[in-house]
Amino acid sequence: MNQFQEIYANRHDYARAWKARTGGKVLGYIETYMPEELVYAAGALPVRLLARHAADDVTDRQMHGNCYATKDMLRQFIQGEYGYIDGLVHAEGCQWAFHCYQNIINNRPDFFNHYVFVPDYPDARTSKNALRSEMEVFKTHLEQWTGTEITLSAIDRAIDIYNQNRGLLRRLYELRKADFPVVRGSEAMEIMLACQVMDKAEANEKLEAFLEEAETRAPGEDAVRIMLIGSETWDAELEKLIESLGGNVVIDELDNGSSYFWNEVVWQKDRYMALARRYLERPHHPVKDNNWRRRPEHIFRLYEDWQADCAVIAKQIYCHPHGTDNYVVWKLLRERHIPYHFFERDTTLPKAETSTRIESLVSMVKPGVNRISGINKVGMFSSVIPSEPREATR
Amino acid sequence: MTKQLWETRPLEIWQRAKELRAQWEHSIEEKDKLVGQGQTYAGDWSACFPAIRVIEDNPVGAKMASDSDEFSRICRLAMESRGWGREICGYHLNCWGAQFLGHQRDGSGFPYRDFVVPFPDVCDQHAKRGQQPMDLSPIPRWQGDYPMYIGPRDAAREEALVDHRVYCLQKELNDIERVFDQKFDDGRYARLIRERSIQHGYMSEVLFLMANVPTPISVKDLYSFYTMGGLTKLAPEVVTDFFRALRDEIKWRADNQIAAVGNERYRWMEVHPPAWHYLRYYRYMEQYGAVCIGSPYTHAGGGAQVEQKPDGTWGSRETVEYPEDTPMLTREDVTRIALTPDARAPYHFKIDEYLRPQSLIEFARFYKCDGALLPIWRGGVGCDMWRKEQARRLKEAGVSVMHYEGSQPGDRTDLDEHGFLDRLDIWMESQGLEKLV
């Protein structure tokens, strides 16, 4: 288990230890549209709320029929698992997350809370002005809460650290472009998730070390290369299952995956505008992908660039953003003859059913997979040359 | 047979409403107009273009479910088999399923839209309205936005948000002019916005009169009128006349204790839209002398939102508007006034549930409701917001509550109709009420 896996597995302990060490406040958030840089500049620790599977007999009256992941976040608050969190921010993404946010603050009226309006129409000329204004309001609210003035240099430092993190995560993903990736999909996802609950400066140090080590690893297994598309995720169970069946998730189009780090803050004199543009210009969440329709082409580009063999679309039950946008992804994949498998899940992953389905997909795709096993290709992203050239799958 | 408690008589305005409705239905058959998908949320601006009409998929989808269970099921299946979520709201699934099939229930071709103007809303699914017609046919789409935040109004914060809304609406109007070569009548739009304010005044009077015992109009009747000037698009002056006449008649009925339901002895409220294909439960409840007063859904649209003032009296909630004499000299002036200086306006029922969690209790108290029938719709984001928690609060306030579950108001799949009526019987009997007839 690497350090990120440990932190991800013990994320509550990590945050408590961070608080004890720094005396700072921890701010929870649900959607990855939350401008973490401002929170970091205020000296607080932004922590993404992660769902998990647990028996739930406390949220039904407040979130009946909602997506299970957001229900579970509320459950964790009610049952005290998130007792160390001092406040909550909702940056507008999906409405289930909004419900979750609202219900948490109903249960915790003493909480610091803030809502960041993120336009659903990110391409409008005025969207950046609206979000820029929201950034400034958020900054003021954060200052009142923490009692700390958020200086320009603190924002710049936060932007630098976050941009560095994005660059490192991009390097991590680039490793997965190799024919025989040295980093498995599950490992990458656990690193992603750990980064979303960690102090980014610390995460960057650990990532640097991890990447140095990973780049010296022997090439990984030959596996069917899979692209993962769909609702946000909170664990790497699906990636592990896929790996156990001869597949490997080499790329994803998830809000908590590649979309989380895809673009950096481009420096400009008006820092709030720079931040606003970063969040508006990131790969679009399905709800925010409307008039200009950037999402399907972005998916295809990822698929091509990471040389995936097929796609898995995993939608959370009740996920309305993806439930109203999937048809265009299916259409794209069908038109371009890309094999895919669609299934629904909640915070659990039914192993037997999902195994059967993924196994079928892998078995279907594998005979048609074309691999070049020449030595130079194998070593594309690795300084280690494999001892024996690998057999092409077929 | 129990003796009737109140005098009742049919509404005289019925015939006029039917004629206006027929007039609108005839108008949407006109072939020489461009058809937009969406809703004209800042006044019916489509009336200010010479040849444009705008249709929303919500009523289309609801009507499809009501007209034919079989065809709407086929439509929903067509959607699910192409990637749409099975729990997505039935308005979408019915209406756009027919686009995949390429035909309507009567075999006629699917009426493709010429452009899309979705209704900005806090609801995700509203934000995605009309995405499919744009994706699957080469038509333009103009997205609006619904700024939202929690807490008291912050005018300084809203400046950029209001500008954003005004920009989105102006872009729609300017682009439609350019793309379709149709001149927008700004003068007419200004008149329309003034008329809208008068219409809202009449409508809110009608809705507040429902606090009378007996109520002069039930929500079942109200559903036939409340879309006039909104979804049922008519000339603004006609709509104003209609609402004035409606207000006059309802006021007369209230003054003279003319009841919507002659045996009114129990008043209940709701929250969200009902099962549109199964409105007969309102009549069924009349057998118990029970009348539905409406819901924040029906009343918010008419501007009848109440609050208890610090001195204990009830009154209309204050809204933020530009002064009445604000000049409307440019298109921007009119769009600003149409959208109001309040970025989160209008405070419709979904927004209210976030910003004013006590609004259901206020509604129950003001309208003297004995019970609340709260649907739990699974197919709509926001449609089941803390429904059981609200039930708990209502019960604490002395209001009896019953839930029923279904897919969504425009989807028949999961509503057990017989079971629903049985539960209504049990609910009424548990409160000591028996059928009067």
Side-chain angles (χ1 to χ4, degrees):
Chain A
M1 187 184 268
N2 66 41
Q3 292 182 69
F4 290 100
Q5 288 168 320
E6 273 181 33
I7 290 169
Y8 164 69
N10 303 302
R11 53 190 176 274
H12 299 314
D13 295 338
Y14 175 88
R16 285 192 193 96
W18 181 91
K19 272 183 91 164
R21 190 171 70 245
T22 64
K25 292 180 173 175
V26 177
L27 191 64
Y29 70 96
I30 306 166
E31 300 262 7
T32 55
Y33 274 93
M34 210 279 285
E36 290 180 64
E37 291 89 340
L38 290 177
V39 182
Y40 199 81
L45 178 68
V47 167
R48 179 170 168 247
L49 306 186
L50 300 177
R52 69 183 185 85
H53 176 58
D56 174 10
D57 58 357
V58 293
T59 66
D60 199 47
R61 78 164 195 251
Q62 298 167 86
M63 296 178 77
H64 178 90
N66 286 50
C67 100
Y68 288 90
T70 51
K71 270 171 78 94
D72 188 69
M73 290 171 198
L74 173 63
R75 180 198 63 75
Q76 291 184 62
F77 270 93
I78 292 173
Q79 297 187 332
E81 290 175 33
Y82 274 127
Y84 57 86
I85 284 187
D86 304 297
L88 189 66
V89 176
H90 177 60
E92 190 171 307
C94 102
Q95 204 185 353
W96 290 141
F98 185 6
H99 282 202
C100 176
Y101 162 79
Q102 183 69 55
N103 280 298
I104 291 170
I105 61 176
N106 284 353
N107 279 275
R108 292 287 305 273
D110 56 312
F111 240 27
F112 166 80
N113 67 83
H114 186 85
Y115 186 108
V116 182
F117 166 65
V118 182
D120 277 346
Y121 180 20
D123 299 312
R125 186 179 296 169
T126 43
S127 295
K128 59 185 184 300
N129 300 337
L131 188 55
R132 184 216 170 276
S133 161
E134 286 292 283
M135 295 286 177
E136 212 166 357
V137 171
F138 184 34
K139 174 237 176 199
T140 307
H141 205 175
L142 280 168
E143 285 178 331
Q144 290 163 356
W145 178 54
T146 57
T148 308
E149 186 193 354
I150 302 178
T151 61
L152 204 57
S153 61
I155 295 176
D156 283 347
R157 179 174 171 270
I159 289 174
D160 281 345
I161 289 172
Y162 272 74
N163 273 351
Q164 189 192 354
N165 185 256
R166 290 174 182 125
L168 292 167
L169 290 172
R170 172 67 81 116
R171 264 176 69 191
L172 172 72
Y173 269 55
E174 289 292 325
L175 286 177
R176 299 159 73 193
K177 277 183 175 170
D179 281 358
F180 305 105
V182 292
V183 177
R184 283 171 287 112
S186 59
E187 198 175 14
M189 181 48 70
E190 282 175 334
I191 292 170
M192 288 299 305
L193 294 171
C195 281
Q196 289 161 14
V197 297
M198 285 177 76
D199 180 323
K200 285 287 193 293
E202 187 187 343
N204 290 348
E205 280 177 26
K206 291 188 189 307
L207 257 175
E208 293 262 23
F210 173 84
L211 289 167
E212 270 187 37
E213 178 272 320
E215 285 168 2
T216 62
R217 289 179 182 176
E221 295 296 312
D222 187 8
V224 169
R225 302 169 68 84
I226 292 176
M227 177 175 188
L228 181 58
I229 304 168
S231 311
E232 289 185 22
T233 60
W234 297 270
D235 58 37
E237 293 307 305
L238 178 59
E239 288 87 342
K240 286 177 185 166
L241 188 75
I242 286 171
E243 286 156 18
S244 73
L245 299 166
N248 184 19
V249 175
V250 292
I251 185 62
D252 65 70
E253 192 264 342
L254 302 177
D255 262 17
N256 59 294
S258 64
S259 299
Y260 181 72
F261 66 77
W262 194 253
N263 62 330
E264 297 187 350
V265 179
V266 178
W267 192 91
Q268 68 181 78
K269 197 170 179 184
D270 181 345
R271 310 298 196 277
Y272 304 111
M273 183 60 87
L275 286 169
R277 291 189 57 186
R278 188 270 155 190
Y279 284 91
L280 288 173
E281 291 167 12
R282 54 165 273 184
H284 287 172
H285 179 280
V287 168
K288 299 182 193 299
D289 193 41
N290 35 63
N291 295 357
W292 293 102
R293 263 306 189 202
R294 301 177 196 278
R295 190 168 171 249
E297 279 310 311
H298 178 65
I299 289 173
F300 185 62
R301 181 183 158 190
L302 293 177
Y303 182 87
E304 287 283 281
D305 286 354
W306 268 262
Q307 293 294 300
D309 301 316
C310 59
V312 168
I313 307 173
K315 171 182 163 288
Q316 280 279 329
I317 295 170
Y318 290 115
C319 178
H320 294 192
H322 287 274
T324 51
D325 213 49
N326 260 338
Y327 69 93
V328 79
V329 180
W330 288 26
K331 181 171 176 283
L332 170 97
L333 299 178
R334 283 173 173 167
E335 283 174 356
R336 302 189 187 190
H337 306 288
I338 295 171
Y340 69 93
H341 174 65
F342 167 82
F343 76 103
E344 288 186 306
R345 63 175 295 194
D346 54 26
T347 46
T348 57
L349 186 68
K351 289 232 163 89
E353 291 168 39
T354 316
S355 295
T356 307
R357 292 166 167 190
I358 300 293
E359 201 168 5
S360 302
L361 177 72
V362 169
S363 303
M364 179 184 78
V365 170
K366 204 168 182 177
V369 165
N370 186 31
R371 293 271 187 274
I372 303 296
S373 58
I375 197 162
N376 294 329
K377 291 285 177 186
V378 173
M380 190 170 150
F381 288 102
S382 167
S383 57
V384 176
I385 299 168
S387 53
E388 293 175 6
R390 289 175 180 276
E391 288 289 318
T393 307
R394 185 159 163 182
Chain B
M1 177 72 76
T2 309
K3 188 171 177 294
Q4 190 167 311
L5 297 172
W6 314 97
E7 183 186 344
T8 185
R9 60 174 73 180
L11 286 156
E12 287 176 10
I13 204 163
W14 265 117
Q15 189 53 36
R16 193 161 163 196
K18 284 180 183 170
E19 285 166 11
L20 291 178
R21 174 84 187 186
Q23 189 182 317
W24 171 70
E25 286 188 0
H26 174 69
S27 78
I28 65 174
E29 300 297 325
E30 291 170 14
K31 302 294 181 200
D32 58 342
K33 284 189 174 177
L34 295 163
V35 183
Q37 153 58 34
Q39 191 174 332
T40 50
Y41 55 97
D44 178 19
W45 50 255
S46 67
C48 306
F49 284 106
I52 275 184
R53 59 190 165 91
V54 177
I55 303 173
E56 201 190 6
D57 50 4
N58 286 15
V60 172
K63 192 167 182 298
M64 287 171 74
S66 183
D67 289 348
S68 168
D69 188 20
E70 186 186 356
F71 185 65
S72 58
R73 275 176 189 274
I74 293 169
C75 290
R76 290 199 297 276
L77 185 62
M79 294 287 270
E80 287 174 34
S81 65
R82 286 165 176 84
W84 280 79
R86 61 199 154 95
E87 72 284 71
I88 295 302
C89 123
Y91 299 150
H92 268 298
L93 300 182
N94 295 339
C95 182
W96 305 115
Q99 182 184 8
F100 281 130
L101 299 175
H103 64 87
Q104 303 188 91
R105 184 186 167 212
D106 63 3
S108 60
F110 179 80
Y112 287 93
R113 304 332 193 222
D114 297 301
F115 64 93
V116 179
V117 281
F119 177 58
D121 193 292
V122 69
C123 162
D124 291 344
Q125 297 190 31
H126 275 79
K128 293 297 276 184
R129 289 269 186 267
Q131 188 70 64
Q132 179 177 307
M134 187 207 83
D135 286 337
L136 303 186
S137 55
I139 57 171
R141 183 178 189 276
W142 290 281
Q143 180 84 27
D145 235 320
Y146 196 97
M148 181 69 182
Y149 61 90
I150 295 295
R153 180 165 182 265
D154 179 343
R157 178 176 184 175
E158 291 197 355
E159 278 180 23
L161 308 183
V162 170
D163 281 351
H164 179 50
R165 293 185 81 189
V166 171
Y167 169 82
C168 291
L169 178 56
Q170 275 206 79
K171 184 168 170 57
E172 283 178 18
L173 302 180
N174 294 341
D175 282 6
I176 289 173
E177 268 195 326
R178 178 175 57 81
V179 172
F180 297 115
D181 196 20
Q182 291 206 16
K183 182 77 188 106
F184 185 72
D185 185 341
D186 292 281
R188 184 172 167 75
Y189 190 37
R191 287 194 300 280
L192 189 146
I193 294 305
R194 287 203 179 91
E195 290 288 338
R196 185 184 66 161
S197 160
I198 298 167
Q199 292 156 14
H200 272 192
Y202 290 139
M203 190 59 181
S204 67
E205 275 189 70
V206 169
L207 296 165
F208 283 132
L209 285 167
M210 293 174 84
N212 271 48
V213 179
T215 180
I217 182 172
S218 75
V219 83
K220 174 79 165 65
D221 304 325
L222 188 71
Y223 279 137
S224 301
F225 306 133
Y226 84 136
T227 63
M228 297 291 182
L231 295 174
T232 308
K233 297 189 188 312
L234 300 159
E237 301 80 9
V238 172
V239 179
T240 306
D241 283 347
F242 175 81
F243 280 121
R244 186 186 299 116
L246 179 67
R247 188 277 315 264
D248 290 347
E249 185 176 352
I250 299 301
K251 186 167 187 316
W252 179 83
R253 287 170 72 100
D255 291 345
N256 292 281
Q257 291 205 313
I258 308 296
V261 174
N263 281 318
E264 178 187 316
R265 60 174 180 164
Y266 185 92
R267 297 158 67 90
W268 99 85
M269 61 178 284
E270 297 181 316
V271 274
H272 276 255
W276 293 115
H277 67 280
Y278 199 64
L279 299 180
R280 61 167 288 208
Y281 75 92
Y282 290 117
R283 292 281 179 254
Y284 186 80
M285 287 288 276
E286 288 177 12
Q287 296 176 58
Y288 287 97
V291 61
C292 182
I293 302 302
S295 63
Y297 162 71
T298 53
H299 285 46
Q305 289 179 303
V306 291
E307 67 178 359
Q308 196 160 23
K309 307 292 180 187
D311 64 359
T313 58
W314 289 92
S316 190
R317 278 193 229 161
E318 284 181 16
T319 54
V320 188
E321 306 282 350
Y322 289 105
E324 268 187 31
D325 58 353
T326 305
M328 292 196 265
L329 303 176
T330 64
R331 187 172 296 176
E332 183 182 333
D333 291 344
V334 187
T335 49
R336 276 190 188 276
I337 290 168
L339 291 165
T340 84
D342 187 343
R344 296 179 294 184
Y347 283 81
H348 64 64
F349 63 112
K350 283 181 193 159
I351 310 307
D352 236 28
E353 293 198 42
Y354 292 111
L355 298 179
R356 202 177 175 86
Q358 77 277 25
S359 60
L360 283 194
I361 294 174
E362 288 177 320
F363 189 97
R365 287 194 173 135
F366 180 73
Y367 289 102
K368 307 173 189 78
C369 295
D370 307 294
L373 184 57
L374 308 184
I376 297 173
W377 297 123
R378 295 200 307 276
V381 188
C383 293
D384 68 347
M385 175 76 174
W386 59 54
R387 194 63 68 238
K388 292 180 180 176
E389 171 63 14
Q390 285 170 328
R392 188 186 64 77
R393 294 179 190 194
L394 281 165
K395 279 177 192 163
E396 280 179 4
V399 180
S400 173
V401 178
M402 192 192 97
H403 292 294
Y404 66 98
E405 198 171 6
S407 308
Q408 192 266 341
D411 183 344
R412 296 166 74 132
T413 310
D414 290 337
L415 183 75
D416 172 0
E417 294 166 7
H418 296 294
F420 180 33
L421 296 188
D422 287 346
R423 294 177 76 176
L424 288 176
D425 287 337
I426 294 164
W427 186 41
M428 289 289 99
E429 286 165 14
S430 71
Q431 296 174 81
L433 297 166
E434 291 190 355
K435 284 182 184 170
L436 297 169
V437 184

